[in-house]
Amino acid sequence: MKRMLLVLLVSFGPPACESARDETPEGRPSEALLIAHRGASAYAPEHTLPAYRLALEQGADFIEPDLQITRDGHLIALHDLTLERTTDVRERFPDRFREEADGDDLVRRWYAMDFTLSEIRQLDAGSWFGPEFRGARIPTLGEVIELARGRAGIYPETKAPGTYSESGHQMERLLVSELERYGLDRRGAEPSTPVIVQSFSVQSLRILRDELGSDLPQTFLLSRSDAEEWTSVEGLERASEFAEGIGPARGLLDNDPGMVKRAHAAGLQVIPWTFGASDPEDHGRLKEEMARFLCVLGVDGLFTNNPDLFPRPRANLPRVGR
Ligand code: G3P
Ligand code: CA
């Protein structure tokens, strides 16, 4: 039934993906953006060069590095503050953990900020995902930029910037200076490699814009707990003071689809996260879900782990009668 409804919506409107895109105000992209979430992370280990490379091959408009900082101040692409979920750090550096309380338990955690870049380069960040990826490394932001430059955009996320500022590193400053090194620190500097910065942290986005004078487009990420404060007409107006887009958790839009119109009225793009399926049996459903968000809810792009399943409005969807 759901599938039939989608087919009807896609075949007969409303609103056509194409016309929805054509209506976007000046400054917004003319087509929906495909952002490869942690690379093509449904098929390759997240935040490794193989995952980013595959995302480029699958036609991603942007690849998404989450950022963490090494002890010696290098930006690396890594989602977690710690290394144990996605690397062999336990085996390679067995004594370099911090012991922390987790409820009633004591747990061992290996924080990226306790390791130098040269140590982090020794870690295997691929085997946890599959033996064929053994030896994949955690890349630096610079390496991600070098891979993408000229082929796609970069959508870096400042992760836990407050934690790092306590240990003396300002993530925003490091980000701007790394982008500057590649000539990508100004809006439109290299049209083949646009940069959009994202964060859950208002403070981080404000530092970038107000303190560091960055004119790069910014996306303000929203989790469930942010909805009340930021998704009203007034909240979105306030967000538009420091961001060009919002990145809501997709469930927020299911609960409140009208948010898209309100955000657009405030001049904000809407780029929800995250759309992914590792089991091929779920791929059809995922594709339908992405099409629904793009063509029915009218979002401006998506973060997806499966870039190959992104329903390109112009290329992959049936044309809509006008
Ligand atoms: O950046 C969008 C989305 O990636 C936010 O969630 O936890 O995957 O970084 P997370
Ligand atoms: Ca992210």
Side-chain angles (χ1 to χ4, degrees):
M1 181 64 193
K2 223 165 131 192
R3 178 188 290 264
M4 218 166 97
L5 181 64
L6 182 86
V7 168
L8 284 173
L9 284 168
V10 169
S11 305
F12 303 110
C17 269
E18 289 193 12
S19 60
R21 298 273 82 73
D22 292 346
E23 283 165 13
T24 57
E26 204 182 337
R28 292 224 199 111
S30 58
E31 286 194 42
L33 299 182
L34 191 185
I35 299 130
H37 179 249
R38 312 184 192 180
S41 57
Y43 311 111
E46 64 183 56
H47 294 314
T48 62
L49 293 185
Y52 292 131
R53 206 172 282 125
L54 183 59
L56 298 176
E57 286 164 15
Q58 293 183 347
D61 297 313
F62 286 82
I63 55 177
E64 190 230 5
D66 292 321
L67 300 177
Q68 307 286 349
I69 307 177
T70 64
R71 192 171 85 194
D72 47 346
H74 295 276
L75 285 173
I76 53 172
L78 182 72
H79 178 269
D80 302 357
L81 279 167
T82 63
L83 296 156
E84 61 272 8
R85 181 177 63 87
T86 56
T87 76
D88 61 348
V89 69
R90 269 197 187 87
E91 291 76 44
R92 198 160 284 272
F93 296 100
D95 306 327
R96 296 277 297 279
F97 58 85
R98 300 188 202 182
E99 207 154 45
E100 295 180 344
D102 184 4
D104 290 339
D105 299 326
L106 268 186
V107 293
R108 294 177 170 185
R109 296 206 169 105
W110 282 256
Y111 280 85
M113 69 177 82
D114 294 338
F115 292 80
T116 62
L117 179 60
S118 127
E119 289 169 333
I120 279 178
R121 284 194 197 284
Q122 296 169 38
L123 300 174
D124 173 3
S127 292
W128 70 275
F129 191 89
E132 67 275 32
F133 294 106
R134 183 160 170 255
R137 303 289 170 211
I138 292 178
T140 60
L141 174 62
E143 287 165 339
V144 177
I145 293 172
E146 280 166 26
L147 178 71
R149 199 153 55 152
R151 301 174 69 189
I154 317 272
Y155 217 121
E157 179 184 343
T158 58
K159 273 275 182 230
T163 307
Y164 288 102
S165 63
E166 283 163 24
S167 60
H169 294 300
Q170 195 188 40
M171 186 175 277
E172 296 79 14
R173 202 169 283 278
L174 290 175
L175 172 58
V176 169
S177 82
E178 191 66 349
L179 292 171
E180 202 173 7
R181 195 157 75 89
Y182 291 94
L184 295 176
D185 57 313
R186 306 309 296 178
R187 190 183 295 214
E190 203 173 301
S192 61
T193 314
V195 178
I196 304 177
V197 180
Q198 43 157 347
S199 190
F200 285 101
S201 162
V202 175
Q203 199 191 0
S204 187
L205 296 175
R206 283 207 182 274
I207 288 173
L208 281 157
R209 187 60 50 86
D210 302 339
E211 267 182 42
L212 302 177
S214 170
D215 71 347
L216 291 172
Q218 302 195 145
T219 299
F220 177 33
L221 299 172
L222 300 172
S223 59
R224 280 179 187 274
S225 56
D226 300 314
E228 199 177 323
E229 183 176 358
W230 291 103
T231 63
S232 63
V233 169
E234 298 72 28
L236 291 162
E237 277 299 327
R238 275 186 287 121
S240 73
E241 291 166 13
F242 56 84
E244 284 64 40
I246 54 167
R250 52 185 285 193
L252 288 177
L253 291 180
D254 273 325
N255 293 341
D256 178 11
M259 188 195 307
V260 177
K261 271 207 171 131
R262 297 198 300 280
H264 286 170
L268 292 162
Q269 275 192 319
V270 182
I271 317 269
W273 49 275
T274 297
F275 295 77
S278 31
D279 184 343
E281 283 201 3
D282 295 327
H283 284 182
R285 179 200 48 78
L286 175 65
K287 204 166 172 175
E288 287 176 8
E289 275 291 275
M290 292 198 277
R292 182 170 70 83
F293 273 73
L294 290 165
C295 305
V296 181
L297 298 187
V299 302
D300 303 285
L302 304 170
F303 287 89
T304 178
N305 303 340
N306 304 65
D308 58 330
L309 302 180
F310 184 86
R312 285 276 180 206
R314 287 179 205 281
N316 297 348
L317 291 180
R319 280 188 68 85
V320 180
R322 303 206 174 190

